[in-house]
Amino acid sequence: MTDLSQLEAEISGRIAQAADLAELDAVRVAALGKSGSISELLKTLGAMSPDERRERGPQINGLRDRAGQAIAARKAELEAAELDARLAAERVDLSLPAPPERRGRVHPTMQVMDEMIAIFAAMGFGLAEGPDIEDDFHNFTALNFPPKHPAREMHDTFWLPEDANGERKLLRTHTSPVQVRVMQAANGKLPSWIAAGQQPPIRVVIPGRVYRSDSDATHTPMFHQLEGLVIDRTIHMGHLKWTLAEFTKRFFETEAVVTRFRPHHFPFTEPSAEMDVQCDRSGGAVKIGEGSDWLEILGGGMVHPNVLRNCGLDPDEWQGFAFGLGVDRLGMLKYGMPDLRDMFAGDPRWLAHYGFSAFAAPNPATGLS
Ligand code: DAH
């Protein structure tokens, strides 16, 4: 009996001292495992006389049960302590102010681009795109810029270094070269990856980035244009004027816009014109429908017969108009930004102020958000 009481005291002491679950398990194995001290005692029961077994049996079984219960109780205690420690260490302090939520804004240029495309789409225009890196042929020659003509310099072109074939590519100075690509594709002369399946009659708008070495309040080295091209059999200047007047009204969502057409010269149109919007730029913001300033927003005209010919279209069969709109400038006018350079400075405060929510209610004029 003494040996059993001693063993029990010893096991109880070790259970109480077990500092963690692993130590406790070691105590369990040493007592109740296959060859644990209590298990070994249980094995001796078989060899005992019935009388001896009747006496020792309950004592040893009692010891086994109490040790088992003590281990289970200590285990629950240790697990609770472990949970408490984790809860204390991993506590979330709900009184901390929430970190500011960073919400992306739609850049005004992209907003304006989408609005413009939606307006032209509603008028039946399709969409085409072309590469930013162009060759001399598409950017100038096919557009009827004579070789070495000063008009080429008019664009302050960014030229790229000569390539392996001795050719100097350039960053396109306008979106007009895509007109050439669209007409060539329509003519079946070039792979039509730009305007798949376009056949004359053509009615497309061409949005994109353009580049010129120029910088002031209304010029940046990179800006955006939206080119328009309509080619059909009986297109005339009246169609061009109506299209642009109608576009302007829908874009500004008001009849108060005052525009003027000025005769101009472009090598690729004849006759050619520029269109200005009346505005006031005297304060910190641009206002339309008032003031004595005129901001040029587009060039346009009737596609020059040489351009049609250069693109493989017969000018006796096809004619049309083209125009190039300044996307960022239209954004300045509509949303009152005084300096074009701010649009590309990448200042998040500017974007927070002038940017658009990607989830805004649809614009009633365009159906776009
Ligand atoms: N490409 C001209 C520019 O960037 C704008 C332009 C003028 C486009 C007349 C046209 C056009 O399509 O017909 O200054």
Side-chain angles (χ1 to χ4, degrees):
M1 183 68 211
T2 7
D3 56 335
L4 283 191
S5 327
Q6 218 170 22
L7 182 59
E8 185 160 6
E10 196 184 304
I11 291 174
S12 305
R14 283 171 57 198
I15 290 172
Q17 275 163 25
D20 57 33
L21 291 168
E23 272 183 35
L24 182 65
D25 202 52
V27 178
R28 182 190 61 78
V29 171
L32 301 170
K34 235 182 179 174
S35 41
S37 47
I38 298 178
S39 310
E40 290 299 333
L41 282 173
L42 283 167
K43 284 180 204 160
T44 62
L45 288 175
M48 287 178 193
S49 66
D51 281 349
E52 207 181 350
R53 193 182 305 134
R54 204 171 296 122
E55 190 202 333
R56 293 286 275 172
Q59 292 172 352
I60 300 175
N61 280 324
L63 171 58
R64 182 200 55 197
D65 294 347
R66 287 191 299 281
Q69 283 159 9
I71 288 171
R74 180 71 184 141
K75 191 173 174 209
E77 230 174 80
L78 287 173
E79 278 173 349
E82 210 164 83
L83 186 61
D84 284 348
R86 264 186 59 196
L87 286 175
E90 296 175 10
R91 205 168 82 205
V92 180
D93 184 352
L94 295 176
S95 68
L96 275 178
E101 187 189 344
R102 288 186 197 283
R103 258 191 248 165
R105 307 286 286 171
V106 177
H107 193 283
T109 293
M110 294 302 129
Q111 170 79 16
V112 166
M113 197 94 104
D114 284 351
E115 288 175 18
M116 294 169 79
I117 291 168
I119 293 168
F120 283 111
M123 291 186 188
F125 283 75
L127 199 64
E129 286 187 296
D132 287 24
I133 295 177
E134 264 298 2
D135 51 40
D136 183 84
F137 175 76
H138 289 93
N139 199 80
F140 292 124
T141 307
L143 290 167
N144 200 34
F145 285 80
K148 306 233 160 61
H149 192 274
R152 287 175 188 245
E153 264 100 80
M154 172 173 112
H155 278 192
D156 304 307
T157 311
F158 287 114
W159 290 93
L160 299 181
E162 217 169 77
D163 65 17
N165 307 320
E167 192 192 346
R168 288 194 78 182
K169 292 264 174 61
L170 53 93
L171 294 179
R172 66 177 176 196
T173 57
H174 49 177
T175 41
S176 304
V178 191
Q179 281 188 32
V180 176
R181 293 183 177 276
V182 168
M183 285 190 273
Q184 286 179 321
N187 188 44
K189 278 206 169 171
L190 265 195
S192 56
W193 58 270
I194 305 148
Q198 282 281 348
Q199 295 290 322
I202 296 170
R203 226 186 283 151
V204 286
V205 285
I206 303 154
R209 275 185 287 273
V210 300
Y211 308 83
R212 291 181 204 174
S213 181
D214 210 352
S215 178
D216 62 34
T218 52
H219 296 86
T220 48
M222 185 281 302
F223 59 103
H224 299 80
Q225 288 187 336
L226 184 106
E227 191 85 9
L229 176 68
V230 172
I231 301 286
D232 208 335
R233 293 173 200 274
T234 56
I235 293 294
H236 55 73
M237 196 83 175
H239 295 129
L240 170 65
K241 284 193 83 171
W242 180 86
T243 304
L244 294 172
E246 188 62 22
F247 164 78
T248 311
K249 269 192 269 170
R250 293 197 199 176
F251 179 77
F252 287 106
E253 299 168 48
T254 167
E255 303 278 330
V257 197
V258 182
T259 56
R260 71 175 182 195
F261 256 73
R262 274 182 293 106
H264 196 72
H265 170 75
F266 296 105
F268 36 95
T269 41
E270 183 57 38
S272 306
E274 280 190 334
M275 194 171 102
D276 305 328
V277 173
Q278 187 185 13
C279 61
D280 179 9
R281 295 206 289 133
S282 57
V286 184
K287 294 188 205 100
I288 54 162
E290 55 187 277
S292 53
D293 294 319
W294 294 91
L295 192 67
E296 179 225 319
I297 57 156
L298 71 89
M302 299 304 293
V303 180
H304 197 291
N306 286 350
V307 175
L308 294 169
R309 230 175 265 123
N310 290 341
C311 299
L313 296 179
D314 178 359
D316 291 328
E317 189 179 353
W318 302 106
Q319 56 187 334
F321 68 74
F323 57 85
L325 282 155
V327 177
D328 319 288
R329 286 188 175 186
L330 280 167
M332 287 173 76
L333 284 168
K334 183 165 178 178
Y335 297 111
M337 301 140 194
D339 196 317
L340 189 63
R341 290 166 297 193
D342 294 338
M343 294 188 92
F344 309 116
D347 185 334
R349 293 166 302 182
W350 184 90
L351 197 57
H353 181 78
Y354 286 110
F356 291 82
S357 163
F359 308 105
N363 176 330
T366 60
L368 285 173
S369 48

